[in-house]
Amino acid sequence: MPNTRLNPPSLYESTGFGFSHATVQDGGRTIHCAGQVAWDKDCNVVGTGDLAAQTRQALANLKEVLAAAGASPADVVRLRTYIVDHSPDKLGVVLPEIGAFYDGGVPAPNTLIGVAALAMPDFLIEIEATAAIG
């Protein structure tokens, strides 16, 4: 079965930046989601300087990608979270937002990676996921 690229119209147009929001494989059973950041539909940063607000926006974008593929946070099997200039105190900001993403469900494995910078200077966090349906 061919891979399908997914670019939900409810999110910013990503192909101009050289990527799709997701690739769907295995007849729709496996979804590889690109890292989501705090951009709204018009590529405006939501929550400049506010890690909690950016985390919420990135996770909201991730939910949009999953929904477009017929999945939900319960189908996520792996997260990767990149935080600019990570320090342990930032966990107190990010982890409650990730917990809310799962809406009380058991969270998937998550690798948290501290980075010096992301694609745009105002981005504080980027979150990518892999999901499996069925």
Side-chain angles (χ1 to χ4, degrees):
M1 295 187 166
N3 294 336
T4 303
R5 307 293 188 237
L6 186 62
N7 293 294
S10 57
L11 295 178
Y12 61 90
E13 172 51 53
S14 63
T15 58
F17 296 102
F19 70 95
S20 289
H21 284 285
T23 295
V24 180
Q25 290 182 301
D26 304 325
R29 294 180 33 167
T30 305
I31 302 118
H32 302 275
C33 301
Q36 295 299 312
V37 294
W39 260 350
D40 66 12
K41 184 171 177 28
D42 299 315
C43 295
N44 297 308
V45 175
V46 174
T48 301
D50 183 339
L51 181 58
Q54 287 201 19
T55 303
R56 278 190 299 277
Q57 183 65 43
L59 291 168
N61 290 351
L62 182 55
K63 278 186 177 181
E64 289 285 328
V65 174
L66 291 168
S72 74
D75 298 308
V76 171
V77 296
R78 181 99 160 94
L79 278 182
R80 281 164 279 332
T81 303
Y82 304 89
I83 300 176
V84 173
D85 297 326
H86 175 65
S87 59
D89 61 304
K90 292 183 180 179
L91 291 175
V93 175
V94 172
L95 294 180
E97 302 298 339
I98 291 174
F101 170 75
Y102 290 106
D103 194 29
V106 177
N110 183 7
T111 299
L112 193 144
I113 304 158
V115 296
L118 293 166
M120 299 297 206
D122 287 335
F123 293 159
L124 302 175
I125 191 165
E126 183 168 341
I127 304 170
E128 65 181 58
T130 304
I133 300 173

